[in-house]
Amino acid sequence: MPGIDIIGRLDTDTAVLRARLLTLTRQQATGLKSERPADLGAQLPRALSLRAEIARRDTYGTLIGQALSRTEATQQALGRIADIARKFGSVIAVKLDANNPDVLPLYASQARQALVEVGQLLNAQQGGEYLFGGSDFANPPVPDPDGLPTGGMAAGIATAIGMLGGGNAAAVAAATRAAALDDSTGVTPFSAFVADPSRGGGEPRRSVVSADGTATPIGLFANRNAAATSAGETTGSWARDLLRGLASIAALTPAQTASQEDFKALADTIRHGLQSASNALADEQGALGQTEQQLTDMQTRHGQMHDSLKAQLADIEEVDMAEVLTRMQATKTALEASYNAIGTIASLSLVSYLR
């Protein structure tokens, strides 16, 4: 019968409309053209390439973020260490005077306290890792900061300063420098790892992979310079220079003022050494600050590229929601009309049959 044939065709059209509405409903819920990658057809390779690039940018951004947290903590520790170096180099060391021996015990006490604090700062951590310990994240680079005022290095410096007199100021200064450079067990305040040239003492700075083929150095060491170059009265290391100067002040007693010329020469050596430490620390902070700015700029570029890539991927995978809603409404209207048509034709066919 003609009515039945028409109803059959309408049923087929209605099934198509129902399938289309189901697809549009799913697209409205997910925002995606399809939940199956294979449905992207010729666009699939491009989508996969974009996803991989987005993942790389995300990884770089995360690594840089972690590195910046580490450098921020490092800068805080360096800032306090620099404050100590400036205080003792520009204030206390300047006041060392053979004609004023009564203040030496006070300065010595302050220097001993500063030694402990510097040791603790060199043991600063971030995320459970030691900032100045090289690749040895689990162990402190200064094993016994509380023992620095009486440890082997400080004892060696004190012994040398105790012999001051008779025109031997240069020899005493050389002896304090040698004690600060001595990495033998029982003398060095640093851990066996960072003091060993074949291990931490010779390893490169810790770096962060900040882009394809790019590693940016961010690590610092407790016993040697990273980016800074020490000059003047120096051991070659701002940390050793600072510890040497503090230990020297801590060893001073009124007895050393008996030879005024020797005391003045030694005081000058102490002051110059602390100034060298302060200058190198400023350079280290500045270099690390430049690195932080570079990393921040790279992180920004990665973020911008990430957004651009996401937009390109969205063009391939995501739907235009306004268009989907418009098509949904049109499909619903067509489907309702189809249902009505089927009902009407079915009723007419039934009346004709009953006649």
Side-chain angles (χ1 to χ4, degrees):
M1 297 178 62
I4 294 176
D5 291 340
I6 294 173
I7 290 173
R9 288 196 298 272
L10 286 173
D11 279 340
T12 300
D13 293 341
T14 300
V16 172
L17 289 171
R18 282 199 300 267
R20 183 181 302 164
L21 182 60
L22 182 62
T23 297
L24 291 169
T25 301
R26 186 170 60 248
Q27 289 177 344
Q28 181 194 27
T30 64
L32 300 175
K33 294 177 181 177
S34 175
E35 296 175 75
R36 297 190 308 167
D39 290 342
L40 295 176
Q43 291 279 53
L44 179 57
R46 175 62 175 159
L48 294 176
S49 175
L50 287 170
R51 283 192 175 280
E53 183 64 18
I54 290 169
R56 277 199 299 276
R57 300 289 176 172
D58 283 341
T59 298
Y60 290 140
T62 298
L63 290 174
I64 291 174
Q66 293 172 348
L68 287 172
S69 295
R70 185 181 179 92
T71 58
E72 180 182 2
T74 303
Q75 287 283 31
Q76 291 175 355
L78 284 176
R80 178 54 190 154
I81 294 173
D83 287 342
I84 294 172
R86 282 192 296 270
K87 172 186 175 181
F88 280 86
S90 301
V91 180
I92 291 180
V94 174
K95 296 179 179 179
L96 296 176
D97 187 350
N99 295 315
N100 191 16
D102 293 341
V103 299
L104 293 181
L106 173 62
Y107 294 159
S109 175
Q110 292 177 352
R112 285 191 288 270
Q113 294 174 7
L115 276 169
V116 173
E117 185 177 0
V118 170
Q120 293 170 342
L121 289 165
L122 291 174
N123 284 344
Q125 298 181 71
Q126 196 277 329
E129 298 178 355
Y130 289 98
L131 299 175
F132 298 90
S135 61
D136 187 3
F137 304 139
N139 299 296
V142 181
D144 184 20
D146 292 339
L148 282 178
T150 56
M153 182 198 72
I157 289 174
T159 298
I161 289 178
M163 300 173 64
L164 184 69
N168 69 346
V172 169
T176 63
R177 184 176 182 275
L181 285 168
D182 191 340
D183 277 331
S184 60
T185 303
V187 177
T188 182
F190 304 111
S191 70
F193 177 80
V194 300
D196 187 345
S198 65
R199 295 195 292 166
E203 70 180 10
R205 298 174 63 187
R206 182 181 183 182
S207 299
V208 58
V209 179
S210 51
D212 291 344
T214 302
T216 304
I218 59 170
L220 271 69
F221 306 100
N223 62 335
R224 57 190 172 102
N225 295 1
T229 300
S230 296
E233 180 60 44
T234 181
T235 61
S237 158
W238 55 258
R240 293 181 191 269
D241 290 340
L242 179 54
L243 294 176
R244 175 196 180 194
L246 293 175
S248 296
I249 294 175
L252 292 175
T253 68
Q256 278 84 57
T257 63
S259 176
Q260 292 196 3
E261 289 301 318
D262 286 328
F263 185 88
K264 181 181 183 303
L266 179 61
D268 287 343
T269 297
I270 293 172
R271 184 176 68 256
H272 293 154
L274 288 169
Q275 288 175 345
S276 175
S278 182
N279 292 338
L281 272 163
D283 291 343
E284 202 78 273
Q285 288 177 283
L288 189 59
Q290 289 182 344
T291 298
E292 289 178 304
Q293 186 59 57
Q294 292 171 359
L295 288 174
T296 299
D297 292 344
M298 294 180 76
Q299 188 179 46
T300 299
R301 289 196 294 272
H302 286 310
Q304 292 171 341
M305 183 58 70
H306 171 276
D307 293 344
S308 175
L309 294 169
K310 285 283 287 185
Q312 295 176 50
L313 183 62
D315 288 341
I316 296 174
E317 295 185 338
E318 298 178 12
V319 296
D320 182 333
M321 195 58 67
E323 180 183 351
V324 167
L325 292 175
T326 299
R327 292 179 61 194
M328 280 184 67
Q329 186 58 49
T331 303
K332 287 179 181 179
T333 300
L335 191 58
E336 290 173 1
S338 182
Y339 284 145
N340 290 335
I342 290 173
T344 300
I345 293 174
S347 298
L348 291 174
S349 297
L350 179 61
V351 170
S352 299
Y353 177 76
L354 292 176
R355 288 178 182 177

